[in-house]
């Protein structure tokens, strides 16, 4: 699973960066005109305007630049104060005026999508600042460590140059936290707690490890001394910020009427529209997810009844359908690889998935850019096991794409067993489909063929994640796993997680779902372990819309495919559908659907 690049880009465009997560940025080359464009005066003019706009946006947001893999202004720290917000607003409005000078109807398809993404980006900027206003109630927006950790861990230049960039960034850290404190007014207790935890984590970036690197560097004595003093001041500012947050925490606990973490119907609907750019409204998507949960439960029960004699002969089947399904899942989960074989098993499956896609003619693949399976680098591990795709950013297009797999070394026997039961024989295959072939990695290779700086920096996260989730079901439908009922049951349980995430997000933020109701949904209806459900309850209080994005993208892609099938009848080809769908790059599914119909009405 990966973070939404859109959310990241939005956070970064405010100069506000959340935490120390390492983002996976889709790889694309810069420039280019894209799909089916015939060069004309208008598209050349738009390509230049779009590129110039983005470069100016990156230039004024060093934080966004660093996450995008561009380091020429890495030494500047953005101070998130009121003056900066005024400048952000002026920049966004000027950008929207520049974009309004183009008529999207006159642009080729790829550029129309770029135009739409840019307009959405700058309209979002205005909305986030003026309506959503999380800069005033979510203190976890303020953290200077994420960018510093990236500069220290990414070998983009020699050690001394990177250390100098960090030293320059540290100069104004006290002013940064002073601005943060001035911004926060009526925070939620949940985000105060998160900010405390993440700020304590930030201190670990400015530790003896960094001081050791300064000692071993080529910096002269004067610079080393200055650097160390700036680290002292930065640590002091972070500690002061933590102390202030702890005071807020006590104040909120005593007052008993802290701001709710639930953002409510109006803000949720708007955030859904800006972050996902779906053709569904938030309420429609919620209804779609509720229906899907019912469909999955019915299917899982059918499979459980079919398998019952095979695994539980002589045992009475419980009356309650969710109980019997849960028993079957629990029984099957015992089949999994040994903890020491986890990484090797993933390496073994990747070429098999590629072969299956070739044999079944499902979509084009590109042999020239192989996926490198590796153990997750230490600094990216963040405490848990798991898997993710790391793709090179738009400014480093020739770098390798990695499939990061964390070995289970740090786990106790009990934790490892629980993890392996979750990523059991069947689910591990589904995970590899999602992350690698034909999921994220394959989608990326297609996106690279129509390179656009706009789509790589402002790409639609719901489409990218939706494709990963769509790929899982499509592969099983095409016969991966030999239509084994066990494979389908485990897939359904896995898919139920995406479906219930969407239900949970809306129900909690809009309908006031309680913790007990949430735990019942996750534990009883989605068969989750206590730890997973508790983590999800924590996450839904800290984020909004993101948990619904995977299901939205998936449902839209699946619906589009079924509609195309119905429209085209015998002329429908799955391979053509996939290649064409992916040729538009990281665009909102709603935009792709429109362009596909327009450009290819009958093939
Ligand atoms: Zn994913
Ligand atoms: Zn076991």
């Amino acid at each position: 699973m990966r973070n939404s690049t859109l959310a990241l880009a939005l956070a970064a465009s405010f100069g506000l960066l959340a935490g120390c997560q390492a983002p996976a940025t889709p790889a694309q080359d810069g420039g280019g005109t894209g799909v089916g464009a015939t060069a004309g005066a208008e598209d050349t003019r738009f390509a230049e305007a779009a590129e110039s706009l983005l470069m100016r946006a990156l230039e004024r947001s060093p934080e966004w630049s660093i996450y995008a893999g561009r380091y020429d202004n890495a030494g500047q720290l953005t101070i998130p104060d009121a003056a900066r917000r005024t400048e952000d607003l002026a920049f966004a409005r000027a950008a929207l005026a520049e974009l309004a000078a183009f008529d999207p109807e006159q642009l080729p398809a790829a550029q129309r999508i770029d135009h739409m993404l840019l307009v959405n980006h700058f309209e979002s900027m205005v909305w986030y600042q003026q309506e959503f206003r999380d800069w005033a109630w979510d203190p976890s927006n303020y953290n200077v460590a994420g960018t510093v950790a990236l500069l220290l861990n990414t070998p983009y230049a020699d050690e001394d140059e990177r250390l100098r960039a960090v030293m320059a960034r540290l100069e104004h850290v006290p002013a940064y936290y002073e601005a943060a404190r001035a911004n926060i007014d009526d925070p939620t207790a949940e985000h105060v707690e998160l900010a405390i935890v993440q700020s304590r984590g930030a201190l670990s970036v400015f530790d003896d490890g960094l001081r050791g690197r300064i000692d071993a560097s080529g910096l002269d004595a004067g610079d080393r001394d200055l650097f160390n003093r700036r680290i002292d001041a930065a640590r002091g500012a972070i500690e002061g910020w933590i102390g202030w947050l702890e005071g807020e925490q006590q104040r909120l606990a005593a007052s008993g009427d802290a701001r709710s973490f639930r953002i409510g119907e109006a803000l949720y609907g708007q955030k859904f529209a800006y972050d996902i750019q779906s053709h569904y409204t938030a309420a429609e998507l919620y209804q779609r997810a509720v229906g899907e949960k019912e469909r999955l439960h019915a299917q899982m029960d059918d499979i459980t009844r079919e398998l019952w004699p095979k695994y539980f002969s002589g045992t009475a089947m419980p009356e309650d359908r969710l109980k019997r399904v849960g028993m079957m899942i629990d029984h099957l989960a015992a089949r999994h690889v040994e903890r020491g074989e986890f990484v090797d098993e993933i390496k073994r499956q990747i070429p098999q998935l590629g072969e299956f896609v070739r044999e079944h003619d499902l979509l084009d693949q590109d042999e020239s850019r192989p996926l490198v399976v590796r153990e997750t680098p230490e600094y990216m591990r963040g405490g848990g096991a798991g898997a993710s795709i790391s793709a090179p950013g738009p400014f480093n297009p020739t770098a390798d794409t990695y499939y990061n797999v964390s070995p289970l070394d740090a786990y106790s026997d009990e934790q490892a067993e629980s993890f392996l039961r979750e990523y059991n024989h069947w689910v591990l295959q589904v995970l590899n489909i999602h992350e690698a072939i034909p999921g994220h990695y394959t989608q990326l290779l297609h996106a690279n063929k129509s390179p656009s700086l706009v789509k790589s920096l402002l790409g639609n996260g719901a489409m990218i994640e939706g494709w990963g989730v769509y790929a899982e079901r499509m592969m099983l439908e095409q016969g991966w796993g030999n239509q084994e009922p066990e494979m389908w049951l485990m897939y359904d349980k896995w898919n139920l997680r995406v479906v219930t995430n969407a239900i949970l997000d809306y129900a909690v933020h809009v309908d006031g779902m309680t913790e007990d109701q949430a735990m019942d949904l996750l534990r009883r209806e989605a068969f989750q372990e206590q730890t997973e459900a508790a983590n999800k309850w924590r996450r839904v209080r800290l984020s909004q819309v993101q948990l619904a994005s995977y299901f939205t993208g998936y449902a839209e892609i699946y619906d589009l495919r079924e509609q195309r099938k119905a429209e085209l009848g015998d002329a429908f080809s799955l391979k053509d559908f996939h290649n064409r769908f992916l040729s538009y790059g990281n665009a909102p599914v709603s935009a792709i659907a429109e362009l596909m119909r327009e450009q290819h009405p009958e093939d």
Side-chain angles (χ1 to χ4, degrees), residues 40 48 67 79 82 92 108 128 174 219 245 255 272 296 302 366 410 451 476 534 542 579 601:
E48 284 167 8
Y67 278 95
I79 306 300
Y128 268 80
L219 270 59
L245 290 167
S255 79
F272 184 88
L296 286 170
D302 289 346
D366 180 355
L476 264 62
L542 295 169
N579 286 338

Side-chain angles (χ1 to χ4, degrees), residues 73 159 397 498:
N73 53 358
E159 172 83 354
V498 167

